[in-house]
Amino acid sequence: MLSEKMQNALNSQINKEIYSSYLYLAMSMYFEAEDLAGAASWMRTQVLEEMSHADKFMSYVNERGGRVFLEAIEKPAVSWESPLDAFNGALDHERFISASINDLVSLAREEKDFMSDNFFQWFVAEQVEEEASVSEVIRMFKLAGGAGGGLLMIDRELGSRVFTPPATN
Ligand code: OFO
């Protein structure tokens, strides 16, 4: 059985994951408008990944006999100064999510809720990958100088990313 505090924290995390999905959808639409189809597609993959995170949290709350309450999702930004600016925004957001997952782990340990602690470890590892994959794109944009043929090459590379659903625990 989840404590009320843990259930609230999990519901808040579900909202953050759905917001992540919405934010990356907004970035995808920005890239579409900039004619960067590969970056748009990379972000669409990220949209699916974030919804899979939300789904994993929702399943967990239900498995533990808790109740999911869906709240309003904040409106994301609609445009960015450059592709690099958008990916920098994505990295800032992932760092914010990592901190939020760390807070969940702290709460689980405080409450001696070791089931939740164990469940959150998947997300701790996932955040390492999330931050690394966005950092890698930022590195590519910086190397290419943000324009011309280099930008087109990066866009093609980004378009090759495919969504792999996470294992169901
Ligand atoms: Fe991007 O990891 Fe979930 O939010």
Side-chain angles (χ1 to χ4, degrees):
M1 175 99 188
L2 294 168
S3 72
E4 197 182 338
K5 197 170 174 186
M6 181 59 81
Q7 177 172 292
N8 290 342
L10 282 159
N11 271 298
S12 163
Q13 188 64 35
I14 289 163
N15 187 275
K16 286 174 190 160
E17 298 295 343
I18 297 174
Y19 172 76
S20 300
S21 184
Y22 209 33
L23 172 66
Y24 297 140
L25 187 57
M27 288 182 178
S28 178
M29 294 303 107
Y30 159 73
F31 286 128
E32 289 284 357
E34 295 291 308
D35 285 331
L36 292 167
S41 163
W42 194 98
M43 282 295 173
R44 281 290 196 132
T45 301
Q46 195 64 21
V47 167
L48 298 176
E49 202 161 297
E50 296 302 352
M51 280 310 291
S52 79
H53 293 169
D55 195 52
K56 221 170 158 72
F57 276 111
M58 290 189 284
S59 297
Y60 178 71
V61 172
N62 289 326
E63 270 170 25
R64 294 288 313 277
R67 177 75 164 89
V68 173
F69 297 107
L70 297 176
E71 300 289 343
I73 307 298
E74 192 188 325
K75 181 182 188 291
V78 292
S79 66
W80 288 265
E81 279 173 20
S82 64
L84 178 60
D85 183 43
F87 276 95
N88 277 329
L91 182 58
D92 284 346
H93 183 69
E94 287 306 325
R95 287 177 174 152
F96 163 73
I97 294 294
S98 299
S100 179
I101 300 287
N102 290 347
D103 288 345
L104 287 172
V105 173
S106 298
L107 177 62
R109 291 181 185 181
E110 209 175 278
E111 293 194 342
K112 296 196 187 327
D113 178 352
F114 299 116
M115 290 177 181
S116 292
D117 187 356
N118 183 56
F119 170 73
F120 296 147
Q121 294 310 309
W122 185 90
F123 287 93
V124 171
E126 176 71 359
Q127 282 312 116
V128 175
E129 262 182 55
E130 290 279 273
E131 289 190 24
S133 66
V134 179
S135 297
E136 173 61 16
V137 177
I138 290 172
R139 194 184 65 84
M140 290 197 297
F141 274 115
K142 282 185 176 162
L143 280 175
L151 184 59
L152 279 180
M153 263 178 59
I154 294 171
D155 193 55
R156 194 169 308 146
E157 170 74 23
L158 293 179
S160 65
R161 182 185 183 198
V162 289
F163 175 62
T164 318
T168 46
N169 273 348

